[in-house]
Amino acid sequence: MELYLIRHGLAGERGQYTNDDERPLTDEGEKKTAAVARQLKDKGIRFDLVLTSGLMRAKQTAAILEKAKLTPRVEESAALRPGGEIEEWINWLGCWSDYNDRSRLALVGHEPDLSQWAELLVWGEIKEKLNLKKAGIIGLNLPSRENLIAQSELFLLISPKWFI
Amino acid sequence: MELYLIRHGLAGERGQYTNDDERPLTDEGEKKTAAVARQLKDKGIRFDLVLTSGLMRAKQTAAILEKAKLTPRVEESAALRPGGEIEEWINWLGCWSDYNDRSRLALVGHEPDLSQWAELLVWGEIKEKLNLKKAGIIGLNLPSRENLIAQSELFLLISPKWFI
């Protein structure tokens, strides 16, 4: 299956909101994320499901993907909150009823979690060597949904400037 | 500095040429590589130098980059031949007279060498977990030209379909 790790778009300044969970995308963040979504659609990408962190800036990013008709469904996942555990998501994947070998799943979340999850899935350890920009995307080929750690192949690491 | 590892474009079938070194790009390979070069130019990318393998398909790819005015110079490097040693290139880099902290260098070469070099520069070991397509690009940030192994950051891994 293909797994896409998508970082939320450009959001308001940290500290301007009493609850950081409510920090929204800026106008520029919305525009750039929508442009990324249009490009994904033009490239023929479709997801079976988008899982998103419950934080405002991630939910807004996921909503932009849904509005662009990249996915029929968006669901929130506590595993994708900042600092969430990859094991929690792996457990979820093991039970995902719509899973098949050709599934395309997108996760919308936060840094440094997403790039660290990618490193775990590809190399089995975190070295903090992947630079994932806001509204950037990591693409992984997962050979199955069992024994996920250190089994995946990296086929995409892209920031918005490269394709919008 | 920024290092771009660029795989040669689509070439003729292996076995149709008595000397594999002479295998040229196909018409489609030339067109797609030229489209990649145009996109790089539109994104503002410029290289200080393109080093290429001496094989026909790599030299043609480098010539397309030069024709698109992405670089003022193309030079051949024996280190970039199939199976070439990264240590040979590292020695060359240590003596590169035009090097500075903001240099942009492109290497045009072959698989699996280029993706293995990227793995060595980023993680310090080869795990064959990067999927670099023909005319695809890997982008690395190198903190210096000393102690290169396991010091770089990966900021780009892209195949032509994502940006042309």
Side-chain angles (χ1 to χ4, degrees):
Chain A
M1 63 167 283
E2 289 184 355
L3 178 67
Y4 294 83
L5 307 173
I6 304 175
R7 187 177 178 193
H8 65 78
L10 182 66
E13 291 285 329
R14 192 177 294 269
Q16 287 188 342
Y17 298 84
T18 48
N19 182 351
D20 189 66
D21 292 8
E22 296 304 317
R23 193 150 52 92
L25 298 185
T26 62
D27 288 350
E28 185 193 344
E30 284 194 354
K31 276 185 201 154
K32 201 175 275 190
T33 307
V36 166
R38 278 195 300 277
Q39 281 292 318
L40 290 174
K41 188 148 189 240
D42 286 351
K43 303 300 180 198
I45 299 297
R46 299 292 184 277
F47 308 118
D48 299 299
L49 175 64
V50 171
L51 275 189
T52 180
S53 139
L55 272 60
M56 178 66 77
R57 53 196 183 275
K59 286 198 293 185
Q60 288 179 318
T61 299
I64 288 168
L65 300 177
E66 189 175 28
K67 191 175 170 194
K69 302 193 187 308
L70 286 166
T71 181
R73 272 166 49 226
V74 172
E75 293 179 12
E76 282 186 37
S77 167
L80 289 167
R81 69 188 179 277
E85 296 293 334
I86 193 169
E87 289 76 13
E88 190 177 339
W89 172 74
I90 288 174
N91 288 341
W92 172 88
L93 186 68
C95 304
W96 181 29
S97 56
D98 290 339
Y99 172 88
N100 64 61
D101 291 349
R102 294 181 303 150
S103 294
R104 281 179 162 178
L105 175 67
L107 309 183
V108 178
H110 307 269
E111 278 294 275
D113 305 292
L114 292 180
S115 60
Q116 291 181 352
W117 286 24
E119 289 190 318
L120 286 169
L121 291 169
V122 175
W123 288 278
E125 55 185 325
I126 294 169
K127 297 209 175 184
E128 301 193 315
K129 295 298 189 76
L130 299 180
N131 186 339
L132 180 62
K133 300 282 190 189
K134 293 189 177 78
I137 306 174
I138 291 171
L140 303 177
N141 284 317
L142 276 57
S144 74
R145 60 174 165 179
E146 281 86 42
N147 305 314
L148 284 176
I149 300 298
Q151 300 301 317
S152 300
E153 179 190 70
L154 184 71
F155 68 85
L156 180 69
L157 170 60
I158 193 170
S159 67
K161 83 163 192 171
W162 286 93
F163 74 132
I164 63 175
Chain B
M1 65 167 280
E2 288 183 356
L3 178 66
Y4 293 83
L5 307 172
I6 304 175
R7 187 177 178 192
H8 65 78
L10 182 67
E13 291 284 331
R14 191 178 295 269
Q16 288 189 341
Y17 298 83
T18 48
N19 181 352
D20 188 66
D21 292 9
E22 297 302 319
R23 192 150 53 91
L25 299 185
T26 62
D27 288 349
E28 185 194 345
E30 285 194 354
K31 276 184 201 157
K32 201 175 273 192
T33 306
V36 166
R38 277 195 301 276
Q39 282 292 317
L40 290 174
K41 185 144 191 243
D42 287 349
K43 303 301 179 196
I45 299 298
R46 298 293 182 277
F47 308 119
D48 299 298
L49 174 64
V50 171
L51 276 189
T52 181
S53 139
L55 272 61
M56 178 66 78
R57 53 195 183 276
K59 287 198 292 186
Q60 288 179 319
T61 299
I64 289 169
L65 300 177
E66 188 175 29
K67 192 176 171 195
K69 301 193 187 308
L70 286 166
T71 181
R73 272 168 48 228
V74 173
E75 293 178 10
E76 283 185 36
S77 167
L80 289 167
R81 70 185 178 278
E85 296 293 333
I86 192 171
E87 288 76 12
E88 191 177 339
W89 171 75
I90 288 175
N91 289 340
W92 172 89
L93 187 67
C95 303
W96 182 28
S97 57
D98 290 337
Y99 172 87
N100 64 59
D101 291 349
R102 294 180 304 153
S103 295
R104 281 178 161 178
L105 174 66
L107 310 183
V108 178
H110 306 268
E111 278 291 277
D113 306 293
L114 293 180
S115 60
Q116 291 182 352
W117 286 23
E119 290 190 317
L120 286 169
L121 292 170
V122 176
W123 288 278
E125 55 185 323
I126 295 169
K127 297 209 175 184
E128 301 194 315
K129 295 298 190 75
L130 299 180
N131 186 338
L132 180 63
K133 300 282 191 189
K134 293 189 178 78
I137 306 174
I138 290 172
L140 303 178
N141 284 318
L142 275 59
S144 74
R145 60 174 165 179
E146 281 85 43
N147 304 314
L148 283 176
I149 301 299
Q151 300 300 317
S152 300
E153 179 191 69
L154 184 71
F155 68 85
L156 181 69
L157 170 59
I158 193 170
S159 67
K161 82 162 192 170
W162 285 94
F163 74 133
I164 64 175

